[in-house]
Amino acid sequence: MEIKYKIEQLRAALHEHNYNYYLLDAPTISDFEFDQMLKSLVAFENAYPNFYDPNSPTQRVGGGVTKNFKTLTHRFPMYSLANTYSREELIKWVERVEKGLGHENFNFTCELKYDGASINLTYENGTFVNGITRGDGTQGDDVSLNLKTIHTIPLKLKGDYPDLFEIRGEIVLPIAGFNVINEERIKLGEEPYMNPRNTASGSLKLQDSSLVAKRPLECLLYAIAGSNLGVASQFEALQKAKDWGFKVPNNAILANTIEEVFEYLDYWGKNKGDLPYEIDGVVIKINQISQQNELGYTAKAPRWAIAYKFDSEQAITKLTSVSYQVGRTGAITPVANLEPVLLSGTTIKRASLHNEDQIEKLDLRIGDSVYVEKGGEIIPKIIAVDHTKRPSESFKIKFISHCQECKSELLKEGGEAHHYCKNHSGCPPQIVGKIQHFISRKAMDVQGLGSETVVLLYENGLLTSIADLYELRSENVLPLERMADKSAENLIKGVLASKEKSFSKAVFGLSIRDVGETVTK
Ligand code: AMP
Ligand code: ZN
């Protein structure tokens, strides 16, 4: 009896700490303490398997394998959304709604349209039951095991929730996490993923849930379904879902007029780049549930909602040349130099080409007209070539055979997508890149020293390896341009302080190929 109580207490505490960390972004205990609690729960559960709970916080690390996902029928079909790119059509939709509601008053919620994979979660008595993909809208796949690894999906609810209900949301992969995954893949010589959305929906279908656990997926909620939910409007539903412990972004608004809707569109059209995840538009919904029911559905979509999609951000320009960047591990990345072109508010001059295969796949030549697109990454990429516009004097791109920085011969080993400069200890961008990585926030987090200063120190012969950092003296640093007493002192202090960092951070900082953050831990 006492053991059971102890286990329940640990579970409840860990659910709460998970909530504080992932939903509120305000942990009240350290990661170390959290890990210790989790470890002791794992130990108890192993010793007392009769107290097994499918929704224990220990299930979040994954490990279960699903060979074939069970197909389940949705209790309430998952509709698609009517969509438009034009404000005139939006006005026409509002006119249809007005007519449909016999000119009653109504208002709208405006929400962001998260670009990920839609999911339907069921909860009974405050406990996660299962989660099903949208599938064809009628039936989807039960991906519950994988979903449990996503920390923003509560396994136990808080507050005053209905006994039984479904909640719908979008599984998204935030851009930062997507970029980390791709960096890792590039390091391993694997093809980088195309975009966060496909990666998110692909992740849900991975057989090994422990692999899903490694991806920083999030679940953003936007609708609840069920009977007797005691909720009168969409806006209230969002608020309640948040109270029950779901992640509901704060950017939904209530709008009373179409002008207010347009303001929302203007705002997010301009500022969507500041969000941590991708959106492909805005969803406008009639707020009152009773009015939603009055309007009903077409065969495919609700009449009470519409998606306004932002223009996809593409531009056409010309490829003028290709340069080659050397990463800190020696991987060579070709970079397209472009005739400057305006793309969603910024002038683009360069685009990533990933590797030689990518150049071949695109059948790209110098002088070609190319389509550039801003994806999840900060650097835009070339997504297609307009071969009909190829000038007669175009010539093929010959991938370099030697490192342009250190003249070593490049190697491309079997199965690898990238060429590598293997002169790891003598190739300047590799040396500088490794030091920059070592001092970066995720590694040793050296205060008082930035990437540009590393370059400066390298160029002045004061830094030729990571080890040199710990030999720096302020009298050597001071004579450099832009160095003042204070900044030299801070630099030395920062380097000294880094000695207190955990050993795993130091190992991670060494840029050993195939040894990322998780492995070092
Ligand atoms: P579409 O896939 O273009 O037909 O758009 C419909 C999909 O948009 C839905 O299935 C949801 O997965 C997704 N979606 C993203 N954000 C929202 C939101 N705030 N409200 C409703 N649906 C959304
Ligand atoms: Zn080199």
Side-chain angles (χ1 to χ4, degrees):
M1 197 57 213
E2 203 155 275
I3 293 291
K4 182 161 184 253
Y5 177 70
K6 182 77 199 153
I7 289 179
E8 275 168 5
Q9 250 192 338
L10 275 171
R11 283 178 182 156
L14 284 162
H15 282 308
E16 191 63 26
H17 289 307
N18 179 80
Y19 176 79
N20 292 339
Y21 188 96
Y22 290 98
L23 276 298
L24 300 183
D25 207 6
T28 56
I29 58 171
S30 68
D31 292 2
F32 178 76
E33 287 167 294
F34 185 92
D35 289 343
Q36 291 305 13
M37 275 172 96
L38 191 63
K39 271 194 197 134
S40 83
L41 179 57
V42 169
F44 274 120
E45 289 185 352
N46 287 339
Y48 301 93
N50 48 321
F51 297 133
Y52 171 77
D53 171 4
N55 289 318
S56 167
T58 54
Q59 302 300 307
R60 291 216 186 267
V61 295
V65 172
T66 318
K67 278 265 174 285
N68 290 302
F69 295 102
K70 238 191 304 165
T71 303
L72 296 179
T73 302
H74 293 295
R75 230 163 308 176
F76 306 96
M78 291 183 82
Y79 287 92
S80 140
L81 281 173
N83 67 62
T84 177
Y85 290 86
S86 98
R87 296 189 183 200
E88 287 91 86
E89 283 187 31
L90 216 51
I91 293 172
K92 286 195 191 126
W93 171 73
V94 174
E95 286 166 359
R96 284 199 300 278
V97 168
E98 262 168 5
K99 230 169 122 191
L101 293 177
H103 302 277
E104 291 170 38
N105 283 334
F106 57 90
N107 58 358
F108 314 92
T109 63
C110 301
E111 298 165 32
L112 301 182
K113 188 170 188 298
Y114 319 116
D115 204 8
S118 41
I119 196 78
N120 183 67
L121 311 173
T122 299
Y123 286 82
E124 196 165 5
N125 300 322
T127 303
F128 174 81
V129 176
N130 65 19
I132 309 174
T133 60
R134 174 157 121 190
D136 63 4
T138 311
Q139 292 188 317
D141 289 331
D142 180 348
V143 291
S144 303
L145 272 190
N146 288 344
L147 293 175
K148 283 185 199 175
T149 68
I150 301 174
H151 290 271
T152 42
I153 295 185
L155 300 176
K156 292 276 174 200
L157 300 183
K158 315 166 73 69
D160 192 16
Y161 43 79
D163 295 341
L164 176 67
F165 69 98
E166 298 187 7
I167 184 157
R168 285 167 181 185
E170 201 80 358
I171 306 293
V172 298
L173 182 58
I175 296 160
F178 173 74
N179 288 339
V180 169
I181 291 174
N182 267 352
E183 279 164 27
E184 290 277 309
R185 288 183 69 83
I186 290 168
K187 250 196 266 163
L188 294 170
E190 291 167 358
E191 202 51 39
Y193 290 127
M194 281 295 282
N195 58 49
R197 186 203 26 209
N198 291 352
T199 314
S201 58
S203 304
L204 292 184
K205 297 293 183 62
L206 289 173
Q207 295 191 338
D208 180 352
S209 59
S210 65
L211 295 179
V212 186
K214 295 206 177 92
R215 300 196 173 171
L217 299 163
E218 290 195 13
C219 182
L220 309 176
L221 280 313
Y222 57 71
I224 58 178
S227 36
N228 302 321
L229 298 177
V231 172
S233 74
Q234 168 64 9
F235 202 72
E236 191 188 338
L238 294 177
Q239 193 51 54
K240 290 231 158 125
K242 187 179 286 177
D243 295 342
W244 300 335
F246 293 97
K247 179 146 184 169
V248 181
N250 277 328
N251 27 50
I253 60 152
L254 267 181
N256 288 313
T257 62
I258 189 76
E259 287 75 27
E260 286 172 32
V261 173
F262 286 168
E263 277 170 28
Y264 189 81
L265 301 183
D266 287 337
Y267 180 84
W268 285 108
K270 270 196 215 101
N271 295 294
K272 63 178 188 288
D274 299 339
L275 289 164
Y277 41 79
E278 291 194 327
I279 60 169
D280 60 340
V282 162
V283 186
I284 301 128
K285 301 175 183 171
I286 300 305
N287 186 40
Q288 293 300 321
I289 308 284
S290 58
Q291 291 180 326
Q292 291 183 0
N293 293 338
E294 229 173 295
L295 292 164
Y297 295 79
T298 68
K300 277 194 288 192
R303 290 198 186 87
W304 46 265
I306 191 165
Y308 177 87
K309 294 207 180 176
F310 295 127
D311 293 333
S312 66
E313 301 172 88
Q314 285 179 4
I316 189 159
T317 182
K318 271 208 174 83
L319 177 70
T320 55
S321 65
V322 173
S323 15
Y324 298 86
Q325 278 178 354
V326 187
R328 63 176 209 272
T329 59
I332 309 290
T333 308
V335 177
N337 298 310
L338 306 167
E339 276 179 10
V341 63
L342 206 63
L343 184 58
S344 57
T346 42
T347 303
I348 304 301
K349 294 187 201 125
R350 290 151 75 79
S352 169
L353 284 168
H354 298 303
N355 54 43
E356 187 181 24
D357 295 344
Q358 180 71 7
I359 296 174
E360 264 166 29
K361 231 193 271 169
L362 289 167
D363 181 19
L364 183 64
R365 293 188 179 199
I366 308 291
D368 269 342
S369 293
V370 295
Y371 290 93
V372 282
E373 186 178 277
K374 259 197 176 168
E377 297 109 310
I378 300 149
I379 311 169
K381 53 188 166 203
I382 294 182
I383 50 157
V385 176
D386 187 349
H387 292 121
T388 63
K389 293 212 184 113
R390 178 166 284 171
S392 48
E393 72 279 16
S394 79
F395 49 94
K396 254 187 114 85
I397 297 162
K398 201 168 165 312
F399 206 90
I400 49 169
S401 60
H402 289 76
C403 176
Q404 293 178 326
E405 305 282 345
C406 75
K407 312 291 173 237
S408 312
E409 192 177 350
L410 299 182
L411 288 176
K412 188 177 170 193
E413 276 153 14
E416 279 185 342
H418 281 268
H419 289 73
Y420 280 88
C421 167
K422 297 278 181 182
N423 181 14
H424 301 313
S425 55
C427 182
Q430 292 189 54
I431 298 170
V432 171
K434 280 203 189 77
I435 302 172
Q436 287 171 334
H437 171 71
F438 187 78
I439 64 160
S440 69
R441 215 165 53 85
K442 288 200 145 177
M444 295 295 268
D445 194 15
V446 176
Q447 303 295 311
L449 177 58
S451 290
E452 279 167 33
T453 312
V454 170
V455 176
L456 190 70
L457 292 168
Y458 174 78
E459 283 171 351
N460 286 276
L462 290 171
L463 261 189
T464 56
S465 73
I466 289 167
D468 286 352
L469 279 170
Y470 296 91
E471 305 287 331
L472 289 175
R473 298 283 169 271
S474 58
E475 61 268 26
N476 302 336
V477 174
L478 252 178
L480 300 184
E481 54 179 315
R482 285 180 300 169
M483 270 293 167
D485 283 342
K486 193 79 195 153
S487 45
E489 191 188 310
N490 284 343
L491 193 164
I492 306 295
K493 253 202 228 151
V495 170
L496 277 183
S498 74
K499 290 188 179 180
E500 304 299 319
K501 288 273 142 107
S502 70
F503 187 57
S504 69
K505 300 238 176 207
V507 176
F508 176 61
L510 294 179
S511 298
I512 305 168
R513 240 184 111 182
D514 303 347
V515 180
E517 253 183 311
T518 331
V519 174
T520 49
K521 268 190 199 142

